[in-house]
């Protein structure tokens, strides 16, 4: 639905979306298309008087979600030229604006390019610690980004698995909670060889990969210094086009440690616990299956 309401008040009593975008970018909005909603924000496509088209996410309640997303995109871009993330045009506590990106098909050539660029993202300009210097979010749920030199297994257990196990416990059986607690207890054995922190997207399911005609760009990050296998495991969780080509190109550019495939369930356990918290017990069996697989892959 396209609309232009002349800057009337929005339903929450604040500025209309057009006025917010104009204030942030300094350009008049000539057309605004409503694209629906996601979590606690609405989505829009705007045509500006200066000829640009932009994508805007607008929240009706102040939170740190957009500040974290903007910080994450800018930080990922610091990995170097070719980092596969869009430019942040503007952000505040209720608004995030990115360039409008025309989507295309997921081609094998674009997939190979994504593999190489993801390897660059993970290995270029590595951070000094796990975590990030901003409060984290995944969807609109909080993530503890407390910076820590590591090792990664302890950081992952304390900052990702344990907090979400507490929140998900009411949807899991007592035996299920104990199963995940075994993963926490054995995390050092299950995590594989030590890894330096990498700049990772942190929520790299297929819906956050935006394919254009020439390449893929990564959007909606939960960016932080983490383990690079986490992004690859997330891409496998709900299926990503041409994943085999992505992995092959990635592994050629930045070889993965032996046994990485067996560790995929360990890295998928956190996003599955997030889904239990967001959507209830329907994801409980998947989370517990990942926990069992992680334990079964013990070297």
């Amino acid at each position: 639905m396209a609309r232009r309401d002349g800057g009337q008040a929005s339903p929450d009593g604040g500025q209309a979306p057009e006025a917010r975008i104009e204030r942030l970018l300094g350009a008049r909005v000539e057309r605004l298309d409503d694209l629906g909603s996601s979590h606690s924000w609405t989505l829009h496509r705007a045509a500006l008087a200066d000829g640009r088209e932009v994508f805007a996410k607008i929240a009706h309640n102040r939170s740190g979600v957009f500040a974290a997303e903007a910080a994450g995109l800018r930080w990922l871009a610091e990995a170097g030229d070719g980092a596969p993330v869009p430019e942040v045009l503007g952000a505040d506590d209720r608004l995030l604006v990115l360039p409008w990106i025309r989507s295309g098909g997921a081609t094998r050539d674009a997939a190979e390019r994504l593999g190489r660029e993801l390897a660059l993202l993970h290995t270029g300009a590595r951070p000094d610690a796990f975590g990030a210097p901003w409060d984290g979010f995944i969807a609109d749920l909080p993530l503890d980004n407390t910076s820590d030199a590591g090792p990664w297994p302890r950081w992952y257990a304390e900052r990702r698995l344990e907090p979400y196990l507490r929140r998900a416990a009411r949807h899991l059986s007592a035996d299920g909670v104990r199963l995940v607690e075994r993963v926490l207890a054995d995390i050092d054995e299950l995590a594989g060889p030590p890894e330096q922190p990498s700049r990772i997207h942190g929520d790299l399911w297929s819906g956050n990969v935006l394919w254009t005609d020439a390449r893929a760009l990564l959007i909606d990050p939960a960016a932080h210094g983490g383990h690079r296998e986490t992004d690859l495991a997330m891409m496998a969780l709900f299926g990503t086009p041409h994943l085999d080509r992505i992995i092959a190109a990635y592994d050629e550019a930045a070889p993965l440690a032996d046994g990485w495939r067996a560790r995929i369930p360990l890295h998928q356990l956190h996003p599955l616990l997030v889904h239990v918290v967001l959507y209830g017990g329907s994801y409980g069996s998947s989370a517990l299956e990942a926990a069992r697989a992680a334990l079964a892959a013990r070297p």
Side-chain angles (χ1 to χ4, degrees):
M1 176 186 300
R3 63 188 179 89
R4 172 73 205 182
D5 61 16
Q8 296 172 10
S10 61
D12 67 347
Q15 286 183 308
E18 292 87 348
R20 292 180 180 173
I21 296 169
E22 290 171 356
R23 174 181 50 79
L24 193 64
L25 299 186
R28 178 175 171 78
V29 174
E30 293 192 333
R31 177 185 175 90
L32 187 73
D33 296 333
D34 294 331
L35 305 178
S37 61
S38 177
H39 301 292
S40 58
W41 47 82
T42 55
L43 311 175
H44 307 268
R45 178 181 181 177
L48 306 182
D50 60 13
R52 289 181 293 170
E53 286 192 318
V54 300
F55 172 75
K57 298 166 69 169
I58 299 176
H60 293 302
N61 295 302
R62 288 185 172 87
S63 74
V65 174
F66 293 162
E69 184 173 342
L73 287 170
R74 289 166 172 152
W75 181 75
L76 293 174
E78 292 172 5
D81 292 342
V85 292
E87 178 188 4
V88 176
L89 299 179
D92 61 23
D93 58 359
R94 293 194 182 188
L95 176 63
L96 176 71
V97 184
L98 308 175
W100 179 259
I101 299 167
R102 298 186 186 279
S103 61
T107 66
R108 292 166 68 87
D109 287 347
E112 290 183 1
R113 179 174 176 177
L114 175 59
R116 294 190 297 271
E117 291 181 340
L118 188 61
L120 166 68
L121 183 68
H122 288 167
T123 59
R126 288 180 183 264
D128 295 330
F130 299 101
W134 58 81
D135 293 334
F137 292 87
I138 188 164
D140 49 5
L141 299 175
L143 286 175
D144 183 350
N145 271 349
T146 300
S147 292
D148 192 321
W152 177 80
R154 172 175 53 80
W155 185 89
Y156 183 59
E158 293 178 358
R159 308 298 179 186
R160 292 295 184 262
L161 294 182
E162 197 276 334
Y164 273 87
L165 175 59
R166 288 200 311 267
R167 298 187 66 162
R170 65 191 181 94
H171 299 293
L172 304 173
S173 66
D175 286 344
V177 171
R178 285 192 288 270
L179 178 67
V180 179
E181 288 175 340
R182 285 178 56 201
V183 175
L184 295 174
D186 296 347
I187 191 77
D188 290 331
E189 295 179 66
L190 305 177
E195 280 266 349
Q196 295 175 258
S198 290
R199 294 177 194 252
I200 71 168
H201 179 283
D203 189 16
L204 197 51
W205 71 290
S206 59
N208 286 340
V209 180
L210 181 58
W211 298 92
T212 73
D213 289 336
R215 67 188 302 209
L217 293 173
L218 310 183
I219 58 173
D220 295 348
H224 63 278
H227 196 304
R228 61 197 183 110
E229 291 176 10
T230 296
D231 275 349
L232 303 180
M234 191 66 180
M235 295 179 83
L237 184 55
F238 299 118
T240 298
H242 305 301
L243 183 58
D244 58 334
R245 307 289 290 192
I246 296 171
I247 296 297
Y250 182 103
D251 194 42
E252 182 178 349
L256 292 156
D258 290 344
W260 71 270
R261 291 185 185 276
R263 293 187 291 273
I264 286 175
L266 176 65
H267 291 270
Q268 291 178 341
L269 183 54
H270 171 247
L272 286 169
L273 289 173
V274 170
H275 276 69
V276 174
V277 174
L278 284 171
Y279 305 114
S282 61
Y283 282 94
S285 60
S286 296
L288 298 182
E289 181 180 344
R292 292 189 192 95
L295 291 166
R298 185 194 315 271

